[in-house]
Amino acid sequence: MNIGVFDSGIGGLTVLEEVVRLLPGYDYIFYGDSANNPYGEKTDEQLLEITSNIVEYLKERDCRLIVIACNTATTRCRHALMRKYPDITFIGTVPAVKLACDSNYSNILVLATPGTIASERMSQLVNDNIRPNQKIYPLACYGLADAIENHVPEAVDIILDSIKEQYGDKNIDCIVLGCTHYPFIKEDIQKRFPDADIIDGSNGVARETRRQLQLMNEYHESDKPGTLEFHFTKK
Ligand code: DGL
């Protein structure tokens, strides 16, 4: 069995890294769908069609467990994928709002794609986890994943400067990176918010992957590293 990991491009590599760190002895196929980036500004119907094609590809390659290394695809179409492919175990990635709330931060800024921020799952995460005296600011970052995917640092700077202008006086003590592309610009974000802790959900994804492998009776510890294969689509 292979483990499939997919995203709308390079973002998913930040999740893959954590999963492989925790579970080195498996064979992975990474699918970076750069041709269809950004996912964050697509409809649910478009996303289901695009991600179904990826799942078909990974299924052909004997992936019975697939990590959706994308907050947007997880929040918008994970359930539809689970219904469509009941024989596959899907692990999702969602903004680490629970971790931020449980860690007792007061002013939590959640950065994610417009698709993730507008999703029902996002509202649930906030409503289920927010505690009295906590403030959560979910922010749709138009164009940010695209600028990272296509290496346009000037565009990243403009977007981050505007975030700093909007939230610089809100005593933000935690920033949740709710898009798997954002860890690549963690330092740029930190520079603008030096007092905030910056967190993401990739470690939780890795632990959930291990838990599901155990449930599937596919868990094994191994000193011997498995294989990594990369497949990227191009615009
Ligand atoms: N990396 C993806 C996420 O976590 C999506 C970025 C995009 O394609 O908009 O949401």
Side-chain angles (χ1 to χ4, degrees), residues 7-9 11-12 36-41 69-73 93 112-114 116 145-146 178-182:
D7 178 45
S8 64
N36 289 305
N37 181 280
Y39 280 7
E41 290 162 45
C70 174
N71 294 263
T72 313
T93 306
T113 67
T116 297
D146 197 14
C179 166
T180 56
H181 279 69
Y182 301 169

Side-chain angles (χ1 to χ4, degrees), residues 142-144 146-148 151-162 192:
Y142 285 87
L144 189 52
D146 197 14
I148 297 166
H151 310 287
V152 193
E154 306 76 26
V156 169
D157 279 338
I158 291 170
I159 296 167
L160 294 187
D161 285 343
S162 121
R192 275 130 176 133

Side-chain angles (χ1 to χ4, degrees), residues 23-59:
L23 302 161
Y26 291 83
D27 298 324
Y28 294 89
I29 301 177
F30 181 84
Y31 192 112
D33 190 16
S34 306
N36 289 305
N37 181 280
Y39 280 7
E41 290 162 45
K42 293 200 160 43
T43 64
D44 289 1
E45 291 69 29
Q46 288 171 319
L47 282 177
L48 184 59
E49 191 185 329
I50 291 168
T51 55
S52 295
N53 288 335
I54 299 173
V55 171
E56 299 284 350
Y57 173 91
L58 293 172
K59 210 175 143 179

Side-chain angles (χ1 to χ4, degrees), residues 1-103:
M1 178 185 89
N2 294 312
I3 296 180
V5 180
F6 79 84
D7 178 45
S8 64
I10 59 172
L13 295 172
T14 63
V15 175
L16 179 70
E17 192 182 354
E18 280 300 309
V19 176
V20 173
R21 199 198 310 276
L22 188 70
L23 302 161
Y26 291 83
D27 298 324
Y28 294 89
I29 301 177
F30 181 84
Y31 192 112
D33 190 16
S34 306
N36 289 305
N37 181 280
Y39 280 7
E41 290 162 45
K42 293 200 160 43
T43 64
D44 289 1
E45 291 69 29
Q46 288 171 319
L47 282 177
L48 184 59
E49 191 185 329
I50 291 168
T51 55
S52 295
N53 288 335
I54 299 173
V55 171
E56 299 284 350
Y57 173 91
L58 293 172
K59 210 175 143 179
E60 277 291 297
R61 303 290 318 279
D62 194 27
C63 296
R64 278 186 289 118
L65 183 146
I66 296 179
V67 178
I68 308 175
C70 174
N71 294 263
T72 313
T74 302
T75 56
R76 307 297 306 204
C77 62
R78 177 173 173 233
H79 287 293
L81 288 174
M82 285 164 66
R83 277 194 298 274
K84 197 164 167 186
Y85 301 100
D87 49 335
I88 291 182
T89 300
F90 289 100
I91 314 285
T93 306
V94 294
V97 172
K98 179 171 179 359
L99 175 63
C101 292
D102 290 353
S103 307

Side-chain angles (χ1 to χ4, degrees), residues 11 38 47 60 89 94 102 117 137 145 158 167 177 199 202 216 226:
L47 282 177
E60 277 291 297
T89 300
V94 294
D102 290 353
I117 294 295
Y137 302 98
I158 291 170
Y167 293 93
L177 303 182
I199 63 172
S202 49
M216 294 165 79

